[in-house]
Amino acid sequence: MMQVENSAHAYSEGGFWQKLSAAARLAGRDVVERALWLFYTAKSPLTPAWARATIYAALGYFILPVDAVPDMLPMVGYTDDLAMLVAAYSAVSEYITRDTKAKAKEQLDRWFGPSPGIR
């Protein structure tokens, strides 16, 4: 639990983009998509402080080099990161807008190629 509590302090925008771009293919589209939804939601001036804190804790956990399941393990390395992102998503979902999802889709399409509509 200590690691999750300290993860908000580990968050930085530069660290987020570095980890996300380096891990995009390995982590997979679902992990990257949820991370981007949260990132863009945190940037919105309409997102309340408590929701931003929740998001930054999840994104901080995502970018920490050491976590519960090492990211380099094939097939399972990002499962804990995805679980953290999904938990944060559940908590702040009312603040994730179509606009946010559209921004994330643009970035996903640059990295992974086009995909069907916004979820």
Side-chain angles (χ1 to χ4, degrees), residues 11 35-48 51-56 59 92 95-96 100:
Y11 175 79
L36 288 170
W37 287 351
L38 292 171
F39 173 78
Y40 290 125
T41 299
K43 295 301 221 175
S44 169
L46 302 176
T47 302
R52 275 196 193 94
T54 300
I55 291 168
Y56 289 141
L59 295 179
V92 303
Y95 302 103
I96 298 174
T100 297

Side-chain angles (χ1 to χ4, degrees), residues 30 34-35 38 58 79-92:
D30 286 341
R34 279 157 184 80
L38 292 171
T79 55
D80 62 320
D81 298 280
L82 180 58
M84 186 65 66
L85 297 174
V86 168
Y89 173 84
S90 295
V92 303

Side-chain angles (χ1 to χ4, degrees), residues 8-23 36 39 43 56 59-60 62-65 111:
H9 300 292
Y11 175 79
S12 72
E13 190 167 333
F16 170 76
W17 284 113
Q18 182 179 10
K19 170 80 179 240
L20 196 62
S21 62
L36 288 170
F39 173 78
K43 295 301 221 175
Y56 289 141
L59 295 179
F62 176 69
I63 67 175
L64 280 172
W111 284 340

Side-chain angles (χ1 to χ4, degrees), residues 25 29 33 102 104-119:
R25 295 246 183 244
R29 192 175 185 108
E33 181 175 49
K105 184 178 180 326
E106 288 174 19
Q107 185 63 49
L108 285 167
D109 289 350
R110 282 193 288 276
W111 284 340
F112 293 96
S115 71
I118 298 173
R119 293 183 194 171

